Amino acid sequence: MKTTLSAAALAASFIVSLTYSQAGLAQQNQATLTQTGANNSAGIEQDNARRLTEATITQTGNDNIAGGAAAEGGIVQRDTRGMATITQDGNRNLAGILQQRATTGARATVNQAGDYNLVLISQVDSFAPAVDAVQAGTRNTAYINQSHVDNLVQTRQTGADNVITVDQNGAAYGGPVITQDGIGNTATVTQYSDTYPGGITVSQTGMRNTATVTRSSSSLGDGTSIVQNGADNRATHTGSGGRSPSSIMQTGDGNTATVTKSLKYNDSTIVQTGNLNAATVVQSGVTLSGMPPLNVATIIQVGEGFTASIAQAGSGNVGSVYQH
């Protein structure tokens, strides 16, 4: 196991501690880096550890980052059962975390409190790692990219310009679960060729909203849920592959919601309450093993602009529109 620490931190104080412990067959490697004040930066790299590894970076105040002198982001773990944590409290932030071939028990956690924020996080060819990203205050943004990963992704953004983009290729099972509170919003989730993907949940409260979820060539997903409360709304869900039910709920202001699916079985619900509304569901089922496709679509609109459209191709279709 190789651990490399680098810190370009002009006028920054830092503490680096490396701990190796062994108790019977239980072994653990730890790398801890703490920086307080001024220009900060950081590093940490862990390779080829078959035991549990822990890497922690804590930065308080000023220019932050979490990568080394020339690095974009901090903490890289390869072929480990790694737990990586970056905590940034105040000022320009950024972060990082890259995990490759991580095994059961791996986890990537980023906590950012205040100022310019960002995050990143990329996981490749890993089994059962979890991702937690929490951002509170100002510029936010996130990006979480996963390729061939079985995992759970949870992200939360509070206050200001928000964003979050999750890109999953060949992933399975957990999430993502996305929560955005306040101002810029936007949340884009793209899943390609996922097997038994976990339920996608996007919850947006306040201001500009928007949420685009695309599931392509996915098999038997747990469904997609988008909830938008207040301001300009919108929300688009596109799906192809195996069965994956979906629901979009919009309350207040701009509304608009479009669902387009070409799955083996389709089940979509759109509920809009208050203000400009719109909605559209387009579903075309694909015959599976000689069975007819089944499409179910429901649109409920209460209050103001209305407009609703349902188009379904194939046999065994059920559609309903309620406007009041």
Side-chain angles (χ1 to χ4, degrees):
M1 195 282 289
K2 178 181 71 176
T3 301
T4 303
L5 303 178
S6 63
L10 302 174
S13 64
F14 63 88
I15 300 170
V16 178
S17 69
L18 299 174
T19 303
Y20 174 86
S21 64
Q22 180 172 351
L25 296 177
Q27 296 177 325
Q28 180 170 311
N29 292 270
Q30 295 180 329
T32 301
L33 200 160
T34 301
Q35 297 175 314
T36 302
N39 296 339
N40 313 139
S41 197
I44 297 181
E45 183 174 331
Q46 295 175 315
D47 291 330
N48 302 313
R50 296 181 181 178
R51 61 188 67 83
L52 177 66
T53 61
E54 292 186 16
T56 302
I57 295 175
T58 302
Q59 297 175 314
T60 302
N62 302 322
D63 299 345
N64 312 138
I65 285 184
E72 186 178 50
I75 299 180
V76 177
Q77 295 175 322
R78 303 181 187 91
D79 300 297
T80 71
R81 198 154 59 93
M83 299 179 67
T85 302
I86 298 176
T87 300
Q88 296 174 314
D89 189 354
N91 303 323
R92 298 188 185 175
N93 316 134
L94 196 144
I97 296 176
L98 169 64
Q99 293 176 320
Q100 295 179 319
R101 298 175 297 279
T103 59
T104 303
R107 190 178 200 90
T109 302
V110 175
N111 292 291
Q112 296 176 318
D115 300 352
Y116 300 176
N117 316 134
L118 182 62
V119 181
L120 305 179
I121 292 176
S122 178
Q123 295 175 322
V124 181
D125 297 325
S126 299
F127 179 75
V131 174
D132 292 294
V134 178
Q135 297 171 301
T138 50
R139 300 288 76 93
N140 311 139
T141 305
Y143 313 135
I144 290 159
N145 181 280
Q146 297 173 317
S147 180
H148 304 288
V149 174
D150 301 331
N151 70 314
L152 172 63
V153 177
Q154 297 186 95
T155 63
R156 184 183 186 93
Q157 296 176 319
T158 302
D161 301 345
N162 315 137
V163 173
I164 294 178
T165 298
V166 177
D167 178 24
Q168 296 176 317
N169 183 359
Y173 304 112
V177 176
I178 296 173
T179 303
Q180 296 177 308
D181 293 326
I183 320 284
N185 308 143
T186 302
T188 302
V189 178
T190 302
Q191 291 183 332
Y192 176 76
S193 195
D194 292 356
T195 304
Y196 302 107
I200 297 174
T201 302
V202 178
S203 177
Q204 299 174 313
T205 301
M207 303 307 282
R208 305 286 75 96
N209 310 141
T210 299
T212 302
V213 175
T214 302
R215 303 180 100 160
S216 180
S217 301
S218 297
S219 300
L220 300 176
D222 285 345
T224 298
S225 173
I226 300 174
V227 178
Q228 297 176 315
N229 293 313
D232 303 343
N233 311 136
R234 283 191 307 280
T236 300
H237 173 45
T238 304
S240 66
R243 181 172 186 171
S244 180
S246 62
S247 68
I248 297 175
M249 300 184 68
Q250 298 174 314
T251 302
D253 301 330
N255 307 144
T256 297
T258 301
V259 175
T260 304
K261 295 199 290 191
S262 56
L263 306 173
K264 295 179 176 67
Y265 299 94
N266 300 301
D267 188 345
S268 301
T269 300
I270 297 175
V271 178
Q272 297 173 314
T273 303
N275 302 324
L276 305 184
N277 314 135
T280 294
V281 176
V282 178
Q283 298 185 141
S284 57
V286 178
T287 301
L288 177 65
S289 301
M291 299 296 291
L294 175 63
N295 301 307
V296 178
T298 302
I299 296 175
I300 298 174
Q301 296 172 314
V302 179
E304 302 189 56
F306 299 152
T307 301
S309 175
I310 295 176
Q312 295 177 315
S315 58
N317 302 318
V318 178
S320 62
V321 175
Y322 173 86
Q323 295 174 317
H324 182 72

